[in-house]
Amino acid sequence: MTERIVRGRILTFRDDPRLAGARAWRLVNNGAVAIRGGRIAAVGEAGEILANAPKDAVIDDHSGKLVLPGLIDAHIHYPQTRVIGSYGAQLLDWLNKYTFVEEQKFADPAHSASVARFFLDELFRQGTTTACVYCTVHPASVDAFFAEAERRGARMIAGKTMMDRNAPPGLMDTAQSGYDETQALIARWRGRGRLDYAITPRFAVTSSEAQLEASGALAAEHRDAYVQTHLDENFAEIAFVKRQFPWAKTYLDVYARYGLLGPRSIFGHCIHLAESEVAALASSGSVAAFCPTSNLFLGSGLFDKKRLDDAGARVALATDVGGGTSYSMLTTAAEGYKVLQMGGQSWPATQAFYQMTLGNARALSLQDRVGALESGREADLVVLDAHATPAMAHRMESHEGDLEEELFVLMTMGDDRAVRQTYVAGRAAKGA
Ligand code: GUN
Ligand code: ZN
């Protein structure tokens, strides 16, 4: 089996720098990663790795550039590639005016397949190698996405959105058909290669109690499958949920009632949380996905990371394309930094890069597989260049050799131009 050696400045996290300080990461300036059979075989000093490499090893020399684990996006909608950047509406109007119109096109399997190809090309171009993905209500949209992810050998989590009210007829299932279709998709795709399934009741606005109950039954039957939905994103949404579920004390109460909280549950947005919701997220081990570009673009509000951190709740970072305006996790981190600044919190670049890699891997319970450059892990890597544009190179001139400055430049000024290469299961995937 041919071995590939990726040379560069190897940076990987072992812990959260917020808790462990500088012990949290390891940097090998003249380093290399040896890859065999889609997995990391060894990581260390380039001299040592090269000395032990077979003669026919392929060597990709990215000396001077940073090599990190592939970036992870904890919440994104693949059917919204033509919704991104839609003008002038907040959440509920934006869904009705743009999103629900576009999502109806995924009844056509050929359309689903072509968008899935574009979407994965784009993620890899941006250095993202794993994502937790919403498809549409159509099972064919899920088949198209998983088939394309499987073809490319990528680690992906995805699910069919379930919606049985407050949506156009072309986008609705029923409690029963949503349950049956999800069961069939789980049977077809879950655990196949690097794929996993997320049970996906879109949000409490578009699901009846019967559908949420069916979602809870699916989660109980498939304990290791994921659950993904939206929570406390927008005031009109929250008021709508209150009207639909008058018995619920809070929005999260609705999901809790149907057994949808837990360590594999990812709640998008989590902006306007009551104190009891913060406590329930923390005690259940649920994950709050911070979607800064989306929260700003849709005028939804400012995420309070410190409040969740202080409560011991798990947090992830996500683009939420197409409410989000960028596929780039670097740009997403930059906007996250600004949102946190607005709340009097700042976000060191080491913490942001931890979050985009090991932090999001932990949030998705994938830390034994991806998110770190350690032998035995799957070989998903990104190569980043902090000198990618004239303005970045100029900014770097006074800070050469300072890792924290370099990471901060990458995050505040970087995007796809800073991504030199992306490796998915050991294969070069940017522009492949
Ligand atoms: N809430 C329910 N569906 C969606 C969606 O597609 N995007 C966002 N941002 N919020 C939602
Ligand atoms: Zn979303």
Side-chain angles (χ1 to χ4, degrees):
M1 201 179 310
T2 321
E3 188 161 312
R4 185 191 290 274
I5 311 287
V6 177
R7 282 191 74 166
R9 294 169 50 237
I10 309 300
L11 177 63
T12 187
F13 291 84
R14 292 175 163 151
D15 212 337
D16 184 348
R18 181 172 65 84
L19 304 171
R23 284 181 297 111
W25 66 87
R26 175 185 184 214
L27 174 68
V28 186
N29 270 313
N30 187 12
V33 179
I35 299 168
R36 204 180 309 129
R39 286 182 183 272
I40 297 175
V43 185
E45 293 293 339
E48 206 171 302
I49 298 283
L50 288 167
N52 291 321
K55 289 224 163 8
D56 64 348
V58 175
I59 297 170
D60 287 3
D61 192 351
H62 299 291
S63 295
K65 309 290 181 288
L66 282 173
V67 178
L68 289 105
L71 309 179
I72 299 172
D73 187 342
H75 177 129
I76 185 166
H77 300 254
Y78 105 82
Q80 296 180 11
T81 53
R82 287 180 178 146
V83 175
I84 188 170
S86 291
Y87 175 76
Q90 295 215 345
L91 178 64
L92 298 178
D93 292 333
W94 173 87
L95 284 170
N96 286 317
K97 193 168 164 190
Y98 302 115
T99 305
F100 289 166
V101 174
E102 203 57 44
E103 289 195 4
Q104 292 184 59
K105 299 179 184 161
F106 288 73
D108 173 7
H111 180 73
S112 297
S114 108
V115 174
R117 283 194 295 276
F118 169 82
F119 178 82
L120 288 169
D121 282 346
E122 184 61 21
L123 290 195
F124 298 167
R125 250 175 35 74
Q126 302 279 0
T128 298
T129 51
T130 288
C132 197
V133 178
Y134 286 66
C135 303
T136 66
V137 73
H138 315 97
S141 77
V142 186
D143 287 332
F145 178 76
F146 276 137
E148 193 58 29
E150 181 177 55
R151 196 176 70 73
R152 296 168 189 238
R155 179 160 289 288
M156 291 284 159
I157 302 165
K160 167 198 135 69
T161 52
M162 290 181 279
M163 315 166 65
D164 68 348
R165 61 171 155 174
N166 300 317
L171 278 190
M172 285 203 286
D173 52 13
T174 66
Q176 188 64 49
S177 69
Y179 176 89
D180 293 342
E181 288 167 355
T182 299
Q183 286 285 27
L185 289 164
I186 288 173
R188 197 171 316 141
W189 293 109
R190 190 155 183 254
R192 183 157 146 184
R194 303 181 73 197
L195 309 176
D196 210 331
Y197 197 87
I199 297 157
T200 310
R202 186 180 200 120
F203 67 154
V205 169
T206 47
S207 285
S208 65
E209 303 212 16
Q211 180 154 79
L212 292 170
E213 193 175 339
S215 303
L218 288 163
E221 249 183 272
H222 303 281
R223 292 224 165 263
D224 291 337
Y226 296 86
V227 171
Q228 60 181 353
T229 188
H230 296 84
L231 174 69
D232 286 322
E233 178 177 4
N234 165 289
F235 290 123
E237 169 212 21
I238 295 167
F240 204 126
V241 171
K242 279 224 165 79
R243 284 199 300 280
Q244 284 200 146
F245 303 90
W247 50 262
K249 284 203 191 65
T250 64
Y251 190 160
L252 190 59
D253 246 8
V254 175
Y255 297 135
R257 164 105 156 227
Y258 296 106
L260 294 170
L261 278 57
R264 299 244 170 186
S265 298
I266 297 114
F267 293 95
H269 306 285
C270 298
I271 302 168
H272 309 289
L273 296 169
E275 210 44 49
S276 65
E277 293 179 294
V278 174
L281 287 171
S283 66
S284 62
S286 301
V287 175
F290 177 20
C291 308
T293 73
S294 172
N295 298 346
L296 294 172
F297 185 71
L298 295 176
S300 302
L302 304 177
F303 184 85
D304 188 344
K305 181 172 182 295
K306 183 171 186 304
R307 185 179 181 211
L308 288 155
D309 285 342
D310 288 350
R314 297 163 75 206
V315 170
L317 181 67
T319 63
D320 190 35
V321 164
T325 49
S326 174
Y327 293 87
S328 166
M329 288 300 292
L330 300 175
T331 300
T332 301
E335 298 305 289
Y337 175 85
K338 295 172 197 170
V339 165
L340 296 179
Q341 283 279 70
M342 289 299 293
Q345 305 166 29
S346 44
W347 203 25
T350 49
Q351 288 182 32
F353 275 84
Y354 159 77
Q355 189 66 61
M356 290 181 252
T357 57
L358 182 61
N360 272 3
R362 286 177 169 175
L364 298 176
S365 304
L366 291 175
Q367 66 276 9
D368 296 334
R369 300 172 187 274
V370 293
L373 303 179
E374 309 273 356
S375 68
R377 296 299 204 297
E378 296 163 359
D380 293 343
L381 283 61
V382 63
V383 183
L384 297 178
D385 179 4
H387 302 77
T389 68
M392 290 170 80
H394 179 77
R395 165 72 169 79
M396 281 302 296
E397 268 172 27
S398 35
H399 299 286
E400 292 301 347
D402 183 331
L403 177 68
E404 293 183 43
E405 285 287 343
E406 183 179 7
L407 293 178
F408 199 58
V409 166
L410 276 167
M411 127 188 194
T412 53
M413 302 175 77
D415 52 28
D416 52 317
R417 293 168 297 177
V419 176
R420 272 300 184 96
Q421 188 51 279
T422 304
Y423 294 91
V424 172
R427 283 196 295 272
K430 181 164 177 161

